[in-house]
Amino acid sequence: MKPVLHSIAGSRSFRVLWLMHELGELVDVVPYQIMDGSLQAPEFKAISPARRVPALEIDGRVLHESGAIVQYLCETRAGHSLMPPVGDAERAEWLMWLHYAETLGAGIQNLNMQHLFLPDPAMRSVTVMGIETKRLAIALKGLEAALEDGRAYLLKGGFSAADVMMGFTLESAARYIRFERYPNMEAYLQRMAARPAFGAARAAEGPQEFYSKDFYDLPQQGGKS
Ligand SMILES: N[C@@H](CCC(=O)N[C@@H](CS)C(=O)NCC(=O)O)C(=O)O
């Protein structure tokens, strides 16, 4: 049976979809939306207790947490070089970047809540938005510094699933942080987006529906962004 990915276009589920395209593994996509209540359906709760995407039905089990799914796919699929094996010199670094993508993801999620999902702009805290933007910029600076030595991917050994975790995340980060200040990261992101599997996964997931602007400036205190 083909795996089934519970997905929101433009969300972390893209990591799984992209990785499955890198692996050449077919998958059916069940689409959801953040604001239409579909994540609150009882059937979905049984699949994802936090009512988040991605969730993946595969190999007779149901998995949630994008990082865990990415690692599971790397561990259970053969014939790829997307994960350094246990004992490899780059294994620890691979794990570190895999999870660093979620440090960025948490910051982006907080900004999404403030900029996009609060029902009334008066509910926003411009102070919190400013702090979260700064914290995201600091975490991105760490990535920019790591790419300073000219490496094309997170690991010197080449493209890996850590890049899949990070590549999607950087696309979302660019809605809140101007990448002109981060030339290494900008080139890295373009390198990710040029991969055939990235393009194929993007076509398979369809258009995202929650960002309506390319870039979201911090609002003025009491104003709109
Ligand atoms: N750490 C989890 C986070 C999952 C997550 O928060 N997904 C978001 C989409 S990117 C979601 O489903 N949000 C729906 C909500 O918060 O109601 C993962 O990496 O899978």
Side-chain angles (χ1 to χ4, degrees), residues 8 10-13 15 34 39-40 50-54 64-67 102 109 112-113 165 168 210:
I8 294 174
S11 82
R12 289 172 175 91
S13 45
R15 292 168 171 161
I34 283 198
L39 296 175
Q40 307 309 322
R51 303 174 194 220
R52 311 277 182 99
V53 295
H64 46 89
E65 286 297 327
S66 60
E102 263 307 272
Q109 187 166 299
N112 285 345
M113 177 63 77
M165 285 292 285
F168 154 75
F210 45 87

